[in-house]
Amino acid sequence: MGNNDNGTPGVSDEEWARFAEQAGQGAGDAPREPSARARMVTERLRATQGQEPPGWRTGPAPRPRRRPGRLGAAAAVVAIAALALIAVRPELVIDRITGRTQAREDAAKAAPLPAETVRPTAAPPSLPPDRPTLQEPFRGSPALQWADGAAGIELPAATPVAGMSAETVADALQKARQFLVAANLDPATLRGERPASAIGLLDPRQPDMLKDVEQYLKAPTAQDTPVLLFTRFDPARVKPVGDVVKVRGSMRAEQGEPGELLVVADYTFVHPVTPAQGGSDVQRTIVRRQTTFALLDPARWETTRGRLQLRAYHSEWSNVECEAADGFLHPQFTADLPAGQQPTGPAVDPYDRSREIKGEKGCGTVTRS
């Protein structure tokens, strides 16, 4: 496994090609003839200069010297967005003819944002709408100024909490970070392999939780799916664009029940991807996760020292198919439209980190991708 200079796991083209070839030797899905509606939508997309669609999805809670039980989970969210973008922003056509606009150049030169220490109170400002490319996969996205990979998961200063020392708190924060990296950035996890490193951080004395995780992996359904916790793509269908995933968010430590330290994490991951078969269609899958971990005092709770338990996990996925049931996130590429459940929920800005996602369910639309 390769790493970037900042410690972020990297994914080489050779690794993906090798894994995709292996996957192709298995029981892969046969090519599907597009429906009449799919062909109609494709023709509409061509007529509007190939403008992109987007989408979104989401996911709950505990006990002492009694075993913490099963926790609630996120549902999923996605959608198909405006096909009329070109009619609203005709300057996109002009930009393709005349070259990079001043606004795009200014965005490309903008300094990285400082670390997020608390949840913001508003959505990030809008940029001129633009399509991602193989060379510039974050073009037109607020994530352009976000940190790369694991560097975006910065830890707060550790202080004593819940009767636990600063050293113990620091260890809990670090383990939560390791879980997030292993679950959302590790190349093996992204390729759909078993997220062993992440699972290894969880407490085996929270048996219902581990049982659920194994069930998600072995027999996924649209409701009970590993993507509730892990970011996974089918390498036979999807490959990453470059080796950078943009990340932004924050975490904090706080008191739970007596003898319970909680680590509350809220992070958004932006994955640029393209079809595994090749081509220039680039989409950004945006995954936001609000996860609460617990580190328990063995004197008060049934627990394994140094292991994390899960108190709650809520997820939101954007620009992917609704209700996929095979345990993978399926980015919506132009050639695949329409696919899966159609959106019925409200429009949501997937970059707006000021809002809660808990309790949101269903299939909606996104305002930008």
Side-chain angles (χ1 to χ4, degrees), residues 42-278:
T42 300
E43 290 304 317
R44 290 180 64 191
L45 287 169
R46 289 174 181 158
T48 56
Q49 301 294 320
Q51 292 306 307
E52 67 196 320
W56 64 281
R57 179 177 179 183
T58 106
R63 290 171 202 134
R65 190 134 261 230
R66 39 195 191 212
R67 189 179 299 144
R70 173 173 177 167
L71 308 178
V77 186
V78 179
I80 301 170
L83 299 178
L85 179 60
I86 192 67
V88 177
R89 299 302 300 263
E91 69 269 27
L92 294 182
V93 175
I94 299 173
D95 183 56
R96 290 193 181 93
I97 298 172
T98 61
R100 294 171 65 94
T101 64
Q102 185 63 46
R104 183 192 295 172
E105 291 177 353
D106 291 344
K109 295 175 182 177
L113 293 174
E116 184 178 292
T117 56
V118 295
R119 186 187 300 171
T121 58
S126 297
L127 298 174
D130 214 339
R131 295 195 64 193
T133 68
L134 293 171
Q135 295 73 32
E136 298 178 89
F138 300 103
R139 193 168 75 178
S141 164
L144 186 63
Q145 292 180 266
W146 293 8
D148 295 353
I153 307 178
E154 297 191 32
L155 302 182
T159 59
V161 177
M164 299 185 187
S165 67
E167 292 75 14
T168 300
V169 173
D171 183 61
L173 292 169
Q174 185 60 44
K175 284 185 168 67
R177 182 181 189 271
Q178 291 171 2
F179 183 93
L180 293 171
V181 170
N184 300 282
L185 298 174
D186 187 314
T189 300
L190 297 179
R191 289 194 299 264
E193 297 179 21
R194 188 174 189 276
S197 296
I199 294 172
L201 293 164
L202 300 179
D203 188 353
R205 300 190 74 175
Q206 191 183 15
D208 289 347
M209 186 69 253
L210 290 180
K211 181 180 178 181
D212 285 349
V213 169
E214 295 298 340
Q215 179 68 20
Y216 295 164
L217 291 166
K218 292 177 181 177
T221 66
Q223 289 72 42
D224 297 326
T225 169
V227 298
L228 294 169
L229 283 167
F230 313 111
T231 302
R232 310 168 80 238
F233 299 100
D234 182 351
R237 300 182 180 183
V238 179
K239 65 180 180 181
V241 177
D243 57 4
V244 173
V245 176
K246 291 291 187 177
V247 181
R248 188 154 182 82
S250 62
M251 73 169 68
R252 67 182 187 275
E254 61 182 41
Q255 169 83 52
E257 295 186 37
E260 180 183 49
L261 168 67
L262 300 180
V263 176
V264 182
D266 182 347
Y267 286 88
T268 302
F269 305 84
V270 183
H271 298 262
V273 292
T274 193
Q277 295 75 20

